[in-house]
Structure formats: C-alpha cells, structure tokens
Amino acid sequence: SAVISQKPSRDICQRGTSLTIQCQVDSQVTMMFWYRQQPGQSLTLIATANQGSEATYESGFVIDKFPISRPNLTFSTLTVSNMSPEDSSIYLCSVEKGAWSNEQFFGPGTRLTVL
Amino acid sequence: KQEVTQIPAALSVPEGENLVLNCSFTDSAIYNLQWFRQDPGKGLTSLLLIQSSQREQTSGRLNASLDKSSGRSTLYIAASQPGDSATYLCAANTGFQKLVFGTGTRLLVSP
C-alpha cells in the first residue's frame, strides 16, 4: 500500500485567490493523480502527473486553472487558480502502486470552500 | 465514454444482515475494477481490486465479483456491522490507470 498525506486538510478562501495543495507519498511512485469531488458528487479525474513531464489533463480541465507540479517521485502540488464558489470541492491525490495490480491509493483529501 | 452506475444510491439495514451493492459499467474493456469506502469528510480507503481476468476477490467479510461481459460488479458484505456505515464507491480502470467512479452507495447499518 502507500501512505499519502495532503496539506492543507481544509481551507476557506476568497473568490479570485489561488490555493496550492500539496501531496506527499511515503515511497517513490511513477504516476500521481489529482481528483475533484464536488459536493454530493463522485470523483472526477483532473489530471495525471508524471515526474519529469507535463501533466496530462482530462477534458474540461486546463493547465491555467489547475497548474500541477511534480518535482520528484514522492511529491506533487495542485494549484486551484482564480477561484470561484464553483471550485468548492474536496481535492484528492492518489497514486498507483503494485507492479501487477495497479491498485490506487488515495490521500485524505483537501476540503476547499470558496466564498 | 465509460459510465459507471451504482445501485442502490442509499441503503439502510439492521446490524447482522448480509447485503449486496451493485456496480454497472457501460464499456467492458476495463483493466480492473476497484471498490472503495469513503467515510464522511474523509479520503478513500481501498477495499478490493479485481483484475479483468478474475471473477472475484475476498477480504474478510467482503467479497467482490466481476462479470465483464455483462458490465457488472457486486460487493457482498456479510454480517454487517455499524462500523460498515460509509459510502461505497466502485471505480473502473479504463486504461493508463484512469479511474472512472460510480455514483456511490451510502450505507447505514443500525445497531
């Protein structure tokens, strides 16, 4: 398995500002993923982050709004830029572990409220 | 485009009952299917992962089955306990480790 931590665990932000969320893993992983869970909804993949390359974004998500960094094999950040109330969600990072199983493990999430 | 649906959306049972949660997916070309539980305000805990070549996986009181041809997976919980109360999510791995999540089943087990 993998132990994943996220910072901050929650935050309340003003409209128009930006927030950077950190994700730390206890072991080296090739792929890290960022998901969004809007209130009452299931999870939606935002982007896939591989170390040493640009993140790959899913349809509906753009780099200017959600810039991602992946400076090494245990760490990634997601920035939510120019926030609006519609960005209020739980943001989760995950990693894929296991040479054969491709099982994914998730961090505890960051609960973001935008006023 | 893969779509994943879970039925029922909510379930309330007395302690001790055996129960089945259902997960349906529209595209049978999946690499694996994973079941998670999510406690209120928390992240996801991986419960079981079934590879596309497998029919079922078991962990303790949990048993998950997979029928790719019919696009279905079920999670069976034996002898339910109040501590099982949570939202259960299934997710289909559509390739390159991209998970498409279902809508979730909110389970409440009463003492």
Side-chain angles (χ1 to χ4, degrees), chain B:
Chain B
K1 177 185 175 185
Q2 178 75 268
E3 294 184 0
V4 181
T5 305
Q6 292 184 245
I7 295 174
L11 183 62
S12 183
V13 301
E15 182 177 5
E17 276 204 8
N18 301 324
L19 53 97
V20 175
L21 308 182
N22 297 292
C23 172
S24 299
F25 46 94
T26 55
D27 187 346
S28 62
I30 63 172
Y31 284 79
N32 58 51
L33 188 134
Q34 200 166 347
W35 282 91
F36 298 88
R37 72 173 276 168
Q38 184 175 31
D39 294 284
K42 302 292 179 64
L44 276 65
T45 300
S46 178
L47 298 174
L48 289 166
L49 179 141
I50 312 177
Q51 300 293 350
S52 61
S53 59
Q54 296 176 320
R55 296 285 294 183
E56 64 179 71
Q57 280 285 345
T58 299
S59 176
R61 294 183 293 108
L62 305 179
N63 175 276
S65 67
L66 176 64
D67 184 344
K68 280 182 57 178
S69 61
S70 66
R72 294 181 182 177
S73 176
T74 60
L75 179 66
Y76 176 83
I77 302 177
S80 59
Q81 303 172 356
D84 294 330
S85 298
T87 296
Y88 290 81
L89 296 164
C90 67
N93 185 335
T94 60
F96 302 103
Q97 287 73 49
K98 294 183 180 181
L99 296 184
V100 177
F101 279 84
T103 46
T105 294
R106 186 178 302 174
L107 174 65
L108 176 63
V109 182
S110 304

Side-chain angles (χ1 to χ4, degrees), chain A residues 31 33 35 37 42-43 45 48 58 92 96 100-109 111, chain B residues 32 34 36 38 40-44 46 49 51 89 93 96-99 101-104:
Chain A
M31 303 175 76
F33 308 88
Y35 287 83
Q37 186 176 30
S42 194
L43 281 76
L45 179 64
T48 302
E58 296 301 303
L92 302 102
E96 179 260 332
W100 307 108
S101 69
N102 302 123
E103 188 171 2
Q104 282 200 26
F105 299 91
F106 281 76
R111 181 181 292 272
Chain B
N32 58 51
Q34 200 166 347
F36 298 88
Q38 184 175 31
K42 302 292 179 64
L44 276 65
S46 178
L49 179 141
Q51 300 293 350
L89 296 164
N93 185 335
F96 302 103
Q97 287 73 49
K98 294 183 180 181
L99 296 184
F101 279 84
T103 46

Side-chain angles (χ1 to χ4, degrees), chain A residues 15 20 27 41 59 97 100-101:
Chain A
R15 180 195 300 260
T20 295
S27 57
Q41 306 283 324
S59 176
K97 291 286 288 186
W100 307 108
S101 69

Side-chain angles (χ1 to χ4, degrees), chain A residues 13-83:
Chain A
C13 301
Q14 296 297 319
R15 180 195 300 260
T17 62
S18 298
L19 176 72
T20 295
I21 302 168
Q22 300 178 6
C23 178
Q24 179 76 51
V25 190
D26 68 339
S27 57
Q28 294 183 343
V29 294
T30 301
M31 303 175 76
M32 297 180 75
F33 308 88
W34 286 98
Y35 287 83
R36 180 177 73 181
Q37 186 176 30
Q38 294 177 299
Q41 306 283 324
S42 194
L43 281 76
T44 301
L45 179 64
I46 298 172
T48 302
N50 290 336
Q51 194 266 339
S53 62
E54 294 287 329
T56 302
Y57 290 82
E58 296 301 303
S59 176
F61 298 97
V62 295
I63 187 171
D64 289 346
K65 176 66 176 178
F66 298 101
I68 289 171
S69 76
R70 182 76 200 277
N72 57 53
L73 291 174
T74 63
F75 188 78
S76 178
T77 67
L78 169 75
T79 299
V80 186
S81 304
N82 189 24
M83 290 183 286

